[in-house]
Amino acid sequence: MIIVTTDFITGKQLETLGMAKGSVVQSKHIGKDIMAGLKTVVGGELEGYTEMMNEARSIATKRMSEDAERLGADAVICVRYASSAIMQGAAEVIAYGTAVKFVG
């Protein structure tokens, strides 16, 4: 599956199939959440949360790709990510884009 943020794929004519999306709500282990809270006192990167968000983006992307495959797509164009806090220590990440099939 080709996944791009552009609205085209060079050298390909595209047929739009619809929106492909994937999401996940991810949380961090309570021990790491407590350590992150302590880290905010001294400042610096909250590595546990960075790892959590990277993992969540990966899962959401995989699910978006699977959704596109169910539509019969060859690629997903115009891919975007969004995230929101669901509760302390948990976030939703959604990946979405336009599922397309190559024509011609």
Side-chain angles (χ1 to χ4, degrees):
M1 181 70 56
I2 297 171
I3 298 174
V4 297
T5 58
T6 58
D7 61 354
F8 63 91
I9 298 174
T10 303
K12 301 288 186 182
Q13 290 185 3
L14 307 174
E15 173 189 343
T16 300
L17 301 176
M19 184 171 72
K21 70 230 170 277
S23 66
V24 63
V25 175
Q26 192 87 354
S27 68
K28 208 66 196 149
H29 182 276
I30 187 69
K32 290 191 177 191
D33 195 37
I34 291 169
M35 294 303 293
L38 294 173
K39 181 77 171 198
T40 61
V41 174
V42 296
E45 180 181 2
L46 303 175
E47 293 176 7
Y49 284 101
T50 299
E51 292 170 10
M52 178 187 79
M53 294 303 288
N54 284 336
E55 182 180 348
R57 274 190 296 275
S58 177
I59 293 168
T61 302
K62 181 177 184 288
R63 290 178 180 173
M64 177 190 64
S65 179
E66 291 167 350
D67 192 37
E69 285 177 9
R70 281 190 289 278
L71 294 170
D74 296 312
V76 183
I77 61 171
C78 300
V79 172
R80 302 291 184 263
Y81 292 94
S83 65
S84 62
I86 299 298
M87 56 185 269
Q88 184 175 355
E92 176 191 33
V93 173
I94 184 166
Y96 60 96
T98 303
V100 297
K101 188 164 193 61
F102 301 148
V103 293

